Amino acid sequence: MTDTDSINDTPMPLLEHLVELRKRLIWSIVTFVIAFAICYHYSGEIYRFLAAPLGNIMRKNGEQPHLIYTALYEAFFTYIRVAVFGATCLSFPMIAIQAWIFIAPGLYRSEKRAFAPFLIATPIMFLIGAALAYYVVFPYAWQFFLSFQTPQSTNGGMQIELQAKVSEYLTLVTKMILAFGVCFELPVVLTLLVRVGLLSVAQLKRFRRYAVVASFAVAAVIAPPDAITMLSLAIPLVALYEVSILTARFVEPKPMAADEDS
């Protein structure tokens, strides 16, 4: 790597680093605050969007979609959490851009070219994982959980009816969306580790059996305790590990050729 590959070889003084860091933090905080205000204004619509899969299943079962709250402040703080969740998602691109602006001057052009695909792939893979959770996993999981309800019996039997709380439902939904989104970053992380030389394709192949076990273990811990949700996360994780092996082949550094005898 030549000296001309860098943008500026002159070291930046510590005070300038701190000033630049403060500037990037201010941009990030202002972006988050604006996104929070927007998301809080539309927090009701955002929550209804998150609750739509459950509402659709309830309608199919002939029920009136509803959620309850048992504390006076529960709905208010639930909307606050919805706004924080939405603001985090909306402001993440700007925060990532500010982090890149702060780090980029210390990288060579070749390093920037190496990292650029991973910066683009990170939000895309997260969105794919979140979409899989929302559009595929939620309908089947909610149908499974609602199947444990029992209608009111005419012979004096006890009725079992779901009375889901708004806060608990939000916790479950956001946890699963984040879990699926983060787990779908597996190819990005493993490919990056291979790109920088911390892992190799041969090592990924060697650890394949352990990766399968780890995928089911992670799914069992993160997902709700039912087979449908666990398999919905474990199987994509195994597939993503195989995808990581394929993509790592294209970015694995070539071994240095042995010096030829003069």
Side-chain angles (χ1 to χ4, degrees):
M1 188 177 295
T2 62
D3 293 337
T4 59
D5 199 25
S6 62
I7 295 179
N8 188 1
D9 290 333
T10 305
M12 183 183 293
L14 177 60
L15 182 59
E16 293 186 19
H17 275 293
L18 295 177
V19 172
E20 183 68 17
L21 178 61
R22 184 187 66 174
K23 185 187 300 183
R24 300 307 153 203
L25 288 175
I26 291 174
W27 272 99
S28 301
I29 293 173
V30 170
T31 303
F32 179 85
V33 171
I34 294 175
F36 176 84
I38 295 174
C39 290
Y40 183 76
H41 180 73
Y42 295 101
S43 57
E45 288 77 2
I46 296 174
Y47 191 90
R48 282 189 285 273
F49 173 77
L50 295 175
L54 179 62
N56 294 335
I57 300 299
M58 285 183 169
R59 291 188 186 94
K60 290 180 181 179
N61 294 343
E63 304 176 41
Q64 178 64 33
H66 67 282
L67 293 168
I68 67 170
Y69 63 96
T70 57
L72 292 175
Y73 53 81
E74 183 177 350
F76 169 74
F77 283 108
T78 299
Y79 284 152
I80 292 290
R81 291 169 55 197
V82 169
V84 171
F85 177 74
T88 302
C89 296
L90 286 181
S91 62
F92 176 77
M94 176 59 74
I95 295 174
I97 291 172
Q98 296 304 314
W100 176 251
I101 293 175
F102 180 74
I103 297 172
L107 300 177
Y108 293 100
R109 288 191 180 91
S110 60
E111 292 173 337
K112 290 182 180 181
R113 288 193 296 266
F115 277 96
F118 299 100
L119 294 175
I120 298 173
T122 297
I124 294 176
M125 294 302 295
F126 185 90
L127 289 176
I128 293 175
L132 176 66
Y134 183 86
Y135 291 104
V136 178
V137 177
F138 286 177
Y140 290 102
W142 299 170
Q143 181 64 58
F144 173 77
F145 292 140
L146 287 173
S147 65
F148 291 96
Q149 294 186 111
T150 57
Q152 187 173 4
S153 177
T154 57
N155 57 3
M158 181 176 293
Q159 179 183 7
I160 301 176
E161 182 181 4
L162 173 68
Q163 295 291 335
K165 297 176 62 177
V166 291
S167 59
E168 293 178 352
Y169 179 81
L170 178 64
T171 299
L172 178 61
V173 167
T174 54
K175 174 185 174 182
M176 291 184 63
I177 289 177
L178 291 175
F180 274 78
V182 171
C183 288
F184 266 65
E185 301 293 342
L186 182 64
V188 179
V189 174
L190 293 182
T191 306
L192 179 60
L193 292 177
V194 172
R195 178 67 180 84
V196 300
L198 297 179
L199 282 178
S200 65
V201 175
Q203 288 175 321
L204 292 178
K205 292 180 179 179
R206 192 181 314 128
F207 294 136
R208 180 182 279 123
R209 66 183 69 179
Y210 304 107
V212 173
V213 176
S215 298
F216 281 89
V218 170
V221 173
I222 295 178
D226 67 286
I228 296 177
T229 311
M230 187 185 73
L231 291 176
S232 299
L233 181 58
I235 294 176
L237 275 177
V238 175
L240 290 171
Y241 189 85
E242 297 297 327
V243 172
S244 303
I245 296 177
L246 295 176
T247 56
R249 292 178 178 176
F250 297 100
V251 300
E252 187 175 23
K254 296 290 191 302
M256 298 296 293
D259 294 334
E260 297 181 357
D261 295 335
S262 57

